[in-house]
Amino acid sequence: FHGNGSIDFTSNESVFTYDREGAIDGITRKESLESHKIIEYFMISANICAADFIEKHGKTGMYRVHDIPAVRDIEEFNAFMRALGLEVKLKNGTNAEFQRVLSSIKGNPKSAMIERNLLRAMKLAKYSEKNSGHFGLGLPSYTHFTSPIRRYADVLVHRLIKHFLGLEAMKDTGREYLKEAAAKICDCEERSEKAENDMFRLFALDFLKSRMGGDFEAVITKVTKNGLLCELQEYPVEGFVSFDSMYGDYFVFDPYTQSATGRRTKKKYRTGDSISVIICRVDLESLKLELELFK
């Protein structure tokens, strides 16, 4: 579907590895295999057919929609790319532009970090009773059909198709019912994703507790007025280096270049820079990982 307009992101999902006893012994990036892409191709094909069928027979349905990016998010991504010293940027935020950026960063050692920021520049997909198209896939109509065993939206799509085929009557196919259902499903999806992310971070930080005091290579993923957000290279988990912990200097944040410069030492930290850090504090309750520079 890449040729048909799909923005082809590489999977950057973090996953655990386990020892023979089932205990976590590492954290790594999930590998995206060619077989995964083939399965995804078939799933997207089925979802397109289901969406087209519903639109043809009833218009109102349960669609998976994805709006165009907001101007502010595009500007933030361009600022990020400028901070990396790269000329590539989004102008109008079209689907083709997103594809062009992805193509241009292939082989770049910071491609994974760039992809994550490009993904953040896009809005979240959601469910709706009205079809407004799917920006990320470059499709005029799309839905979720292939996983009724785990998603209620898919169950509704199956029921609608059976209803339109005359195989099984659906109790309520009206716009208001489907609108309310879509809103509730979106709310549940948002809460479940947050719970899943929080749970992953909880286990990741618990794993890193035994590594407190150890030094690690990290890359700066974002510079803020208060410090450096970094990701450990050995274990893809983000932590924070506060400027308050960097004694002997005062750092001035420049939002345009997304960098911070020491007034006394003139030492500059920029997004994408590699640094050495020490894990100094792990707070499981607040899910915070505090780091300090390794000197």
Side-chain angles (χ1 to χ4, degrees), residues 179-205:
K179 180 179 180 180
E180 182 180 352
K184 287 184 177 179
I185 295 170
C186 287
D187 179 61
C188 289
E189 179 184 32
E190 185 178 340
R191 288 189 286 119
S192 65
E193 284 189 359
K194 184 181 184 306
E196 183 180 350
N197 292 336
D198 287 350
M199 185 60 69
F200 182 90
R201 187 164 177 84
L202 177 66
F203 279 98
L205 295 186

Side-chain angles (χ1 to χ4, degrees), residues 185-243:
I185 295 170
C186 287
D187 179 61
C188 289
E189 179 184 32
E190 185 178 340
R191 288 189 286 119
S192 65
E193 284 189 359
K194 184 181 184 306
E196 183 180 350
N197 292 336
D198 287 350
M199 185 60 69
F200 182 90
R201 187 164 177 84
L202 177 66
F203 279 98
L205 295 186
D206 187 58
F207 168 75
L208 291 174
K209 277 188 73 174
S210 62
R211 287 151 179 79
M212 283 183 59
D215 59 284
F216 298 87
E217 293 303 308
V219 61
I220 299 174
T221 55
K222 188 175 183 179
V223 180
T224 74
K225 64 178 181 180
N226 297 316
L228 313 173
L229 189 64
C230 311
E231 183 181 274
L232 305 180
Q233 291 189 355
E234 185 175 356
Y235 307 113
V237 180
E238 283 190 326
F240 191 72
V241 178
S242 172
F243 287 142

Side-chain angles (χ1 to χ4, degrees), residues 136-147:
L137 293 175
L139 295 170
S141 58
Y142 190 67
T143 190
H144 277 168
F145 167 80
T146 57
S147 299

Side-chain angles (χ1 to χ4, degrees), residues 14 24 30 44 59 67 76 88 158 175 201 209 212 216 223 232 234 244 260 272 289:
S14 296
I24 297 172
K30 186 176 181 180
I44 292 176
K59 294 293 183 182
D67 293 334
E76 286 187 5
V88 180
H158 277 247
R175 178 179 294 274
R201 187 164 177 84
K209 277 188 73 174
M212 283 183 59
F216 298 87
V223 180
L232 305 180
E234 185 175 356
D244 290 340
L289 176 63

Side-chain angles (χ1 to χ4, degrees), residues 6-277:
S6 174
I7 301 173
D8 192 17
F9 285 100
T10 304
S11 175
N12 286 312
E13 180 184 359
S14 296
V15 293
F16 295 121
T17 57
Y18 302 89
D19 60 23
R20 291 186 176 181
E21 284 69 43
I24 297 172
D25 67 357
I27 308 172
T28 187
R29 293 286 183 192
K30 186 176 181 180
E31 186 179 3
S32 183
L33 303 175
E34 194 64 30
S35 57
H36 296 154
K37 295 180 180 179
I38 293 172
I39 294 171
E40 183 181 14
Y41 178 91
F42 289 133
M43 291 173 65
I44 292 176
S45 296
N47 290 339
I48 293 171
C49 290
D52 288 345
F53 182 86
I54 291 174
E55 190 169 31
K56 179 180 178 181
H57 288 80
K59 294 293 183 182
T60 301
M62 185 59 60
Y63 300 96
R64 186 67 168 175
V65 299
H66 191 212
D67 293 334
I68 62 174
V71 173
R72 180 179 177 180
D73 293 330
I74 291 174
E75 290 175 348
E76 286 187 5
F77 175 77
N78 289 339
F80 167 78
M81 294 295 280
R82 186 170 59 243
L84 291 180
L86 299 175
E87 296 297 325
V88 180
K89 68 177 184 178
L90 299 171
K91 295 180 180 179
N92 302 313
T94 62
N95 178 286
E97 276 194 324
F98 273 75
Q99 292 185 50
R100 178 176 55 80
V101 170
L102 283 175
S103 298
S104 69
I105 63 171
K106 284 184 178 179
N108 189 302
K110 297 183 175 69
S111 61
M113 182 171 63
I114 296 172
E115 281 197 22
R116 289 198 297 276
N117 277 271
L118 187 62
L119 190 60
R120 292 186 188 119
M122 298 169 66
K123 290 188 176 181
L124 295 175
K126 62 182 181 180
Y127 295 101
S128 174
E129 83 287 357
K130 295 186 297 183
N131 178 30
S132 57
H134 197 292
F135 172 81
L137 293 175
L139 295 170
S141 58
Y142 190 67
T143 190
H144 277 168
F145 167 80
T146 57
S147 299
I149 196 171
R150 68 185 181 93
R151 284 192 303 236
Y152 186 59
D154 301 54
V155 173
L156 288 178
V157 171
H158 277 247
R159 289 175 179 170
L160 284 166
I161 290 174
K162 289 177 180 178
H163 176 82
F164 294 139
L165 288 173
L167 300 176
E168 184 179 316
M170 184 170 170
K171 184 178 180 181
D172 194 341
T173 59
R175 178 179 294 274
E176 287 306 312
Y177 172 80
L178 293 171
K179 180 179 180 180
E180 182 180 352
K184 287 184 177 179
I185 295 170
C186 287
D187 179 61
C188 289
E189 179 184 32
E190 185 178 340
R191 288 189 286 119
S192 65
E193 284 189 359
K194 184 181 184 306
E196 183 180 350
N197 292 336
D198 287 350
M199 185 60 69
F200 182 90
R201 187 164 177 84
L202 177 66
F203 279 98
L205 295 186
D206 187 58
F207 168 75
L208 291 174
K209 277 188 73 174
S210 62
R211 287 151 179 79
M212 283 183 59
D215 59 284
F216 298 87
E217 293 303 308
V219 61
I220 299 174
T221 55
K222 188 175 183 179
V223 180
T224 74
K225 64 178 181 180
N226 297 316
L228 313 173
L229 189 64
C230 311
E231 183 181 274
L232 305 180
Q233 291 189 355
E234 185 175 356
Y235 307 113
V237 180
E238 283 190 326
F240 191 72
V241 178
S242 172
F243 287 142
D244 290 340
S245 69
M246 298 164 68
Y247 307 111
D249 208 346
Y250 180 84
F251 286 86
V252 179
F253 173 62
D254 182 353
Y256 182 78
T257 60
Q258 291 194 8
S259 64
T261 305
R263 281 184 177 173
R264 184 181 64 83
T265 62
K266 305 302 179 185
K267 173 67 177 177
K268 178 176 285 190
Y269 293 97
R270 297 166 296 187
T271 300
D273 285 353
S274 296
I275 58 175
S276 297
V277 297

